Amino acid sequence: NMGAQFDHSPATGHRDGLGARAELVLALADRWRIVTTGVFSHEPKAYVGNGTSLRLGAEVRYRLIERKDITPFVSAGVSLSNNHTTDYSKTAYFVTAGAGVSLARDRYILAWRHFFREHQTQNRIASDLVEFTAYLPLKPGSQWRVVAGGGLQRTTYTQPNGVAAGNRTAISYRLLGGVGRTF
């Protein structure tokens, strides 16, 4: 699946971001899925005036019960986040765990992921993301589909210095859209 992603996260010091998103889902056996995502965005830091972000993630999903209408799953994975400006570049790595449901034979996915606290940056970031994605065939029986969705993320972090120094909580949201194909 290829598309675009819009991010709104002013509480973390970012201006609105717009970027390219790619997702690959591999079905392994009956109950296993590998889900990989990558997003590269123009997402300036407000106080610097420029910047990009790169987010990469991979998770393994285990489907607890195989049903046509609703299939619950649990997941575990890893994620990387890099913010780059003319003043600095910082990268954080996360271990993730989550759960969710697949509805109508993977046409709709509702997923929650917890990003365990990282220790590579002074921000010590942890977060929870709830995301809904719809994969809608262009016509009945088509392998091509429209991909649309959105997510809400709650992030806790430490601002190490300045007038805003201290522990902080930020709420952000994202919208995504594009086109995909099943093989």
Side-chain angles (χ1 to χ4, degrees), residues 13-37:
H14 289 96
R15 292 187 184 150
D16 289 348
L18 185 61
R21 176 183 171 110
E23 177 187 58
L24 177 64
V25 178
L26 299 172
L28 304 174
D30 287 338
R31 295 186 178 225
W32 296 92
R33 302 287 186 269
I34 295 176
V35 180
T36 60
T37 55

Side-chain angles (χ1 to χ4, degrees), residues 59 61 73-76 96-101 109-116 127-132 152-154:
E59 68 178 327
R61 291 180 180 167
F73 62 84
V74 293
S75 68
T96 66
V101 292
I109 305 288
L110 178 62
W112 159 76
R113 274 193 304 163
H114 176 71
F115 295 75
F116 290 94
S127 68
D128 288 282
L129 171 65
V130 175
E131 197 167 48
F132 174 79
L152 190 62
Q153 192 161 10
R154 179 183 181 271

Side-chain angles (χ1 to χ4, degrees), residues 34-57:
I34 295 176
V35 180
T36 60
T37 55
V39 179
F40 181 77
S41 294
H42 172 72
E43 194 170 357
K45 286 298 257 186
Y47 59 89
V48 178
N50 63 65
T52 59
S53 70
L54 173 66
R55 295 184 200 97
L56 302 173

Side-chain angles (χ1 to χ4, degrees), residues 63 65-72 102-108:
R63 299 156 74 91
I65 302 168
E66 284 288 337
R67 295 185 49 161
K68 292 178 184 178
D69 52 352
I70 183 169
T71 302
S102 162
L103 304 166
R105 295 185 182 204
D106 295 334
R107 184 170 286 180
Y108 307 100

Side-chain angles (χ1 to χ4, degrees), residues 79-108:
S79 182
L80 168 144
S81 176
N82 173 268
N83 288 298
H84 181 82
T85 73
T86 53
D87 289 354
Y88 67 89
S89 179
K90 63 181 170 182
T91 302
Y93 303 92
F94 302 89
V95 172
T96 66
V101 292
S102 162
L103 304 166
R105 295 185 182 204
D106 295 334
R107 184 170 286 180
Y108 307 100

Side-chain angles (χ1 to χ4, degrees), residues 1-2 135-136 138 143-147 178-183:
N1 303 315
M2 298 294 293
Y135 303 91
L136 307 172
L138 290 177
Q143 290 182 310
W144 289 96
R145 56 196 177 169
V146 172
V147 180
V179 60
R181 187 173 194 279
T182 58
F183 294 95

Side-chain angles (χ1 to χ4, degrees), residues 162-174:
V163 296
N167 294 324
R168 300 279 176 255
T169 299
I171 303 294
S172 60
Y173 69 85
R174 64 182 55 162

